[in-house]
Amino acid sequence: MSPGMDREAFCRQSNVVVVAGKGGVGKTTVTAALARMAADTGLEVLVIELDDAGGLPVPVRAGSNFDYDESVLYESAAAVAA
């Protein structure tokens, strides 16, 4: 990033950012970088990882366990049968 870039203004341009793409393209890394940049500017950040690989704690240097309670909002019939 350019040293002259206003990171807070950049982060405030959107309330929601969705990072998506094919496997192995760096989604987790980009998500971690954007979240950290926003947090470093003093903004509150919530990251929701829907991938069951659970790779987000690694780039943010967190322990293997975030403090949250998992809630299943909907379970398809196929998932119940499995």
Side-chain angles (χ1 to χ4, degrees), residues 7 17 19 21 23 27 29 34 37 40 42 44 47 52 54-55 57-60 62 70-71 74-75 79-81:
R7 293 182 302 150
V17 176
V19 179
K27 295 179 299 295
T29 302
L34 289 171
M37 180 174 60
D40 285 348
E44 291 184 10
V47 175
D52 61 354
V58 174
V60 296
E70 183 175 331
S71 296
Y74 172 79
E75 208 164 330
V80 173

Side-chain angles (χ1 to χ4, degrees), residues 8 22 59 80:
E8 184 175 355
K22 290 184 149 215
V80 173

Side-chain angles (χ1 to χ4, degrees), residues 16-70:
V16 176
V17 176
V18 176
V19 179
K22 290 184 149 215
V25 297
K27 295 179 299 295
T28 300
T29 302
V30 169
T31 299
L34 289 171
R36 181 141 201 184
M37 180 174 60
D40 285 348
T41 63
L43 298 172
E44 291 184 10
V45 177
L46 170 66
V47 175
I48 300 173
E49 183 178 24
L50 300 177
D51 184 355
D52 61 354
L56 191 58
V58 174
V60 296
R61 295 188 192 121
S64 62
N65 188 354
F66 287 111
D67 186 20
Y68 70 96
D69 293 325
E70 183 175 331

